[in-house]
Amino acid sequence: MARYDFRSPRLHLEATLSSGAEIGLGKSQAHYLQNVLRLKPGDWVLVFNGRDGEWRAALSGAGKRAALTLQEPTRGQTLPLDLHYLFAPLKHERLDYMVQKAVEMGVSHLQPVLTQHAQAQRIKVERVRANAIEAAEQCGVLTVPEVCEPISFGRALGERQPDRLLVFCDEDAEVKDPIAALSAARAAPGQARATPPLAVLVGPEGGFSDAERAAVLKEPNVVRLALGPRILRADTAAVAALALVQAVLGDWR
């Protein structure tokens, strides 16, 4: 991974980034920079939008007229790994934690899936996106994952592309060595690409229903594995599963 500035504040913007551009700040962003971080006109901020790389910008103006003037690029845009994370919605802080960690682990799509035993059947997509943006700002990634609207379990399988390897995390799986299972998938015919399109599916703490499990196992191009000898909380399982996938199949290699 390219070295980057850990000390300067980072801000995600929607506007196009180019040298000399002056970009006005929204109320919440101006408040954050001026009142929370106590930045003054002329102080530096790093900005990114997921398309134009990362830029150094200088704060100008004050109050409602606060703006950022772009100076120079600091890092070129990189493409995120094609890694979808499919998860049963969690409640409040645990959902926030899971989203933050998924962003740090390099997920490109966050897809809530409504399973039979999910703790929550509703999710505030804007809250999820806000948490994803904040995590991207803090951990230095250049792209905010796409946050999708919740869909049913059946629809998630029905819309799945068969060439996307699905890593099915199931505590009832007989395969107890997840690294071996993922390594075998990488070596399987049809997976000659160094990094194939990937999806990771983690269920709720109540687990998948028998019908859901049977439906997944009928799908092609699926690796079913358990995440070790202990039952993990859903947010912990997210970190464990994504770390394994990144280490064996993803961009950690």
Side-chain angles (χ1 to χ4, degrees):
M1 177 181 292
R3 293 179 60 87
Y4 56 86
D5 184 351
F6 286 94
R7 298 176 182 175
S8 297
R10 296 181 82 243
L11 202 64
H12 177 265
L13 302 175
E14 296 292 346
T16 299
L17 309 180
S18 60
S19 181
E22 183 175 273
I23 301 172
L25 295 174
K27 182 177 179 181
S28 61
Q29 292 177 322
H31 170 76
Y32 173 68
L33 294 181
Q34 296 176 114
N35 300 326
V36 178
L37 298 183
R38 304 287 185 180
L39 299 186
K40 305 298 182 184
D43 286 343
W44 294 109
V45 179
L46 296 176
V47 298
F48 67 105
N49 63 3
R51 306 182 303 275
D52 303 319
E54 182 183 76
W55 289 70
R56 191 181 304 278
L59 180 63
S60 60
K64 296 181 180 179
R65 297 184 178 180
L68 292 172
T69 303
L70 272 63
Q71 304 294 322
E72 60 185 1
T74 56
R75 286 190 290 161
Q77 185 65 42
T78 55
L79 293 176
L81 182 68
D82 189 1
L83 172 58
H84 294 191
Y85 183 60
L86 286 65
F87 61 94
L90 304 175
K91 292 182 178 180
H92 308 306
E93 291 81 5
R94 292 180 56 203
L95 176 62
D96 295 344
Y97 172 87
M98 188 203 67
V99 169
Q100 293 161 8
K101 300 312 165 188
V103 173
E104 293 178 36
M105 301 296 285
V107 164
S108 62
H109 286 69
L110 288 162
Q111 177 62 71
V113 177
L114 303 178
T115 63
Q116 182 175 337
H117 301 309
Q119 291 181 318
Q121 293 294 327
R122 299 169 63 183
I123 189 171
K124 295 182 179 179
V125 173
E126 288 306 313
R127 178 184 174 122
V128 173
R129 177 164 172 76
N131 272 284
I133 290 173
E134 182 178 355
E137 290 173 340
Q138 293 179 353
C139 70
V141 300
L142 293 176
T143 305
V144 176
E146 179 182 352
V147 179
C148 304
E149 292 287 340
I151 58 176
S152 68
F153 187 86
R155 180 179 168 187
L157 292 185
E159 294 182 352
R160 172 177 173 255
Q161 297 298 317
D163 66 339
R164 181 175 298 278
L165 178 64
L166 177 61
V167 179
F168 175 38
C169 301
D170 180 14
E171 65 273 12
D172 286 349
E174 295 181 1
V175 176
K176 300 304 181 183
D177 186 342
I179 294 178
L182 292 171
S183 298
R186 185 180 64 190
Q191 296 293 350
R193 287 171 291 184
T195 306
L198 300 166
V200 175
L201 172 61
V202 172
E205 289 190 354
F208 294 101
S209 70
D210 291 342
E212 289 168 342
R213 182 176 292 108
V216 175
L217 296 179
K218 291 178 181 177
E219 290 286 309
N221 203 17
V222 172
V223 177
R224 182 189 184 199
L225 51 82
L227 298 172
R230 289 165 291 278
I231 300 299
L232 304 179
R233 288 171 50 155
D235 46 347
T236 307
V239 178
L242 291 170
L244 285 166
V245 169
Q246 285 285 39
V248 179
L249 299 172
D251 58 15
W252 288 13
R253 293 179 293 124

PDB file of all heavy atoms in Angstrom, residues 3 11-12 97 100 158 190 201 221 235 240 253:
ATOM      1  N   ARG A   3       2.384   4.815   0.801  1.00  0.00           N
ATOM      2  CA  ARG A   3       2.469   5.591   2.028  1.00  0.00           C
ATOM      3  C   ARG A   3       1.579   6.820   1.898  1.00  0.00           C
ATOM      4  O   ARG A   3       1.432   7.406   0.841  1.00  0.00           O
ATOM      5  CB  ARG A   3       3.918   6.018   2.272  1.00  0.00           C
ATOM      6  CG  ARG A   3       4.850   4.849   2.569  1.00  0.00           C
ATOM      7  CD  ARG A   3       6.264   5.348   2.770  1.00  0.00           C
ATOM      8  NE  ARG A   3       6.333   6.286   3.877  1.00  0.00           N
ATOM      9  CZ  ARG A   3       6.506   5.924   5.146  1.00  0.00           C
ATOM     10  NH1 ARG A   3       6.557   4.656   5.456  1.00  0.00           N
ATOM     11  NH2 ARG A   3       6.589   6.827   6.098  1.00  0.00           N
ATOM     12  N   LEU A  11     -11.096  14.493   4.255  1.00  0.00           N
ATOM     13  CA  LEU A  11     -12.502  14.800   4.056  1.00  0.00           C
ATOM     14  C   LEU A  11     -12.963  14.224   2.727  1.00  0.00           C
ATOM     15  O   LEU A  11     -12.285  14.388   1.707  1.00  0.00           O
ATOM     16  CB  LEU A  11     -12.701  16.315   4.072  1.00  0.00           C
ATOM     17  CG  LEU A  11     -14.104  16.847   4.392  1.00  0.00           C
ATOM     18  CD1 LEU A  11     -14.512  16.463   5.807  1.00  0.00           C
ATOM     19  CD2 LEU A  11     -14.130  18.361   4.238  1.00  0.00           C
ATOM     20  N   HIS A  12     -14.103  13.559   2.744  1.00  0.00           N
ATOM     21  CA  HIS A  12     -14.693  13.053   1.513  1.00  0.00           C
ATOM     22  C   HIS A  12     -15.601  14.112   0.915  1.00  0.00           C
ATOM     23  O   HIS A  12     -16.449  14.685   1.602  1.00  0.00           O
ATOM     24  CB  HIS A  12     -15.504  11.790   1.792  1.00  0.00           C
ATOM     25  CG  HIS A  12     -16.211  11.251   0.588  1.00  0.00           C
ATOM     26  ND1 HIS A  12     -17.526  11.564   0.291  1.00  0.00           N
ATOM     27  CD2 HIS A  12     -15.786  10.438  -0.414  1.00  0.00           C
ATOM     28  CE1 HIS A  12     -17.873  10.956  -0.820  1.00  0.00           C
ATOM     29  NE2 HIS A  12     -16.851  10.263  -1.273  1.00  0.00           N
ATOM     30  N   TYR A  97     -19.970  -0.581  13.906  1.00  0.00           N
ATOM     31  CA  TYR A  97     -18.646  -1.199  14.016  1.00  0.00           C
ATOM     32  C   TYR A  97     -18.361  -2.085  12.806  1.00  0.00           C
ATOM     33  O   TYR A  97     -17.284  -2.018  12.202  1.00  0.00           O
ATOM     34  CB  TYR A  97     -18.560  -2.018  15.302  1.00  0.00           C
ATOM     35  CG  TYR A  97     -17.307  -2.849  15.432  1.00  0.00           C
ATOM     36  CD1 TYR A  97     -16.154  -2.314  15.982  1.00  0.00           C
ATOM     37  CD2 TYR A  97     -17.277  -4.181  14.995  1.00  0.00           C
ATOM     38  CE1 TYR A  97     -14.997  -3.077  16.099  1.00  0.00           C
ATOM     39  CE2 TYR A  97     -16.128  -4.943  15.110  1.00  0.00           C
ATOM     40  CZ  TYR A  97     -14.994  -4.387  15.666  1.00  0.00           C
ATOM     41  OH  TYR A  97     -13.851  -5.137  15.765  1.00  0.00           O
ATOM     42  N   GLN A 100     -17.654  -0.034   9.650  1.00  0.00           N
ATOM     43  CA  GLN A 100     -16.326   0.595   9.723  1.00  0.00           C
ATOM     44  C   GLN A 100     -15.230  -0.412   9.413  1.00  0.00           C
ATOM     45  O   GLN A 100     -14.301  -0.121   8.646  1.00  0.00           O
ATOM     46  CB  GLN A 100     -16.125   1.208  11.104  1.00  0.00           C
ATOM     47  CG  GLN A 100     -17.027   2.396  11.392  1.00  0.00           C
ATOM     48  CD  GLN A 100     -17.144   2.700  12.864  1.00  0.00           C
ATOM     49  OE1 GLN A 100     -16.439   2.113  13.699  1.00  0.00           O
ATOM     50  NE2 GLN A 100     -18.039   3.607  13.217  1.00  0.00           N
ATOM     51  N   GLY A 158     -30.838 -14.788  -6.165  1.00  0.00           N
ATOM     52  CA  GLY A 158     -31.356 -14.714  -7.521  1.00  0.00           C
ATOM     53  C   GLY A 158     -30.600 -13.749  -8.404  1.00  0.00           C
ATOM     54  O   GLY A 158     -30.487 -13.967  -9.623  1.00  0.00           O
ATOM     55  N   GLY A 190     -11.251 -22.524 -13.626  1.00  0.00           N
ATOM     56  CA  GLY A 190     -12.102 -21.355 -13.800  1.00  0.00           C
ATOM     57  C   GLY A 190     -11.744 -20.203 -12.899  1.00  0.00           C
ATOM     58  O   GLY A 190     -12.322 -19.128 -13.002  1.00  0.00           O
ATOM     59  N   LEU A 201     -20.523 -13.897   2.482  1.00  0.00           N
ATOM     60  CA  LEU A 201     -21.857 -13.915   3.082  1.00  0.00           C
ATOM     61  C   LEU A 201     -21.738 -14.359   4.532  1.00  0.00           C
ATOM     62  O   LEU A 201     -21.286 -15.473   4.819  1.00  0.00           O
ATOM     63  CB  LEU A 201     -22.769 -14.866   2.306  1.00  0.00           C
ATOM     64  CG  LEU A 201     -24.154 -15.140   2.911  1.00  0.00           C
ATOM     65  CD1 LEU A 201     -24.966 -13.854   3.022  1.00  0.00           C
ATOM     66  CD2 LEU A 201     -24.903 -16.183   2.069  1.00  0.00           C
ATOM     67  N   ASN A 221     -20.174 -22.249  -7.678  1.00  0.00           N
ATOM     68  CA  ASN A 221     -19.036 -21.391  -7.328  1.00  0.00           C
ATOM     69  C   ASN A 221     -19.154 -20.857  -5.899  1.00  0.00           C
ATOM     70  O   ASN A 221     -19.027 -19.654  -5.642  1.00  0.00           O
ATOM     71  CB  ASN A 221     -18.926 -20.235  -8.323  1.00  0.00           C
ATOM     72  CG  ASN A 221     -17.531 -19.652  -8.386  1.00  0.00           C
ATOM     73  OD1 ASN A 221     -16.563 -20.279  -7.947  1.00  0.00           O
ATOM     74  ND2 ASN A 221     -17.420 -18.450  -8.933  1.00  0.00           N
ATOM     75  N   ASP A 235     -20.527  -9.322  14.172  1.00  0.00           N
ATOM     76  CA  ASP A 235     -19.573  -8.274  13.820  1.00  0.00           C
ATOM     77  C   ASP A 235     -18.135  -8.791  13.875  1.00  0.00           C
ATOM     78  O   ASP A 235     -17.288  -8.382  13.072  1.00  0.00           O
ATOM     79  CB  ASP A 235     -19.755  -7.035  14.709  1.00  0.00           C
ATOM     80  CG  ASP A 235     -19.882  -7.362  16.182  1.00  0.00           C
ATOM     81  OD1 ASP A 235     -20.068  -8.543  16.528  1.00  0.00           O
ATOM     82  OD2 ASP A 235     -19.804  -6.429  17.004  1.00  0.00           O
ATOM     83  N   ALA A 240     -13.192 -11.463  10.840  1.00  0.00           N
ATOM     84  CA  ALA A 240     -12.474 -12.715  10.630  1.00  0.00           C
ATOM     85  C   ALA A 240     -12.602 -13.189   9.180  1.00  0.00           C
ATOM     86  O   ALA A 240     -11.610 -13.566   8.549  1.00  0.00           O
ATOM     87  CB  ALA A 240     -13.010 -13.781  11.584  1.00  0.00           C
ATOM     88  N   ARG A 253      -2.132 -10.372  -0.784  1.00  0.00           N
ATOM     89  CA  ARG A 253      -1.084 -11.290  -1.249  1.00  0.00           C
ATOM     90  C   ARG A 253       0.001 -10.530  -1.996  1.00  0.00           C
ATOM     91  O   ARG A 253      -0.253  -9.526  -2.626  1.00  0.00           O
ATOM     92  CB  ARG A 253      -1.696 -12.351  -2.164  1.00  0.00           C
ATOM     93  CG  ARG A 253      -2.623 -13.283  -1.410  1.00  0.00           C
ATOM     94  CD  ARG A 253      -3.260 -14.320  -2.306  1.00  0.00           C
ATOM     95  NE  ARG A 253      -4.179 -13.735  -3.273  1.00  0.00           N
ATOM     96  CZ  ARG A 253      -4.098 -13.894  -4.586  1.00  0.00           C
ATOM     97  NH1 ARG A 253      -3.099 -14.595  -5.088  1.00  0.00           N
ATOM     98  NH2 ARG A 253      -4.969 -13.352  -5.395  1.00  0.00           N
TER      99      ARG A 253
END
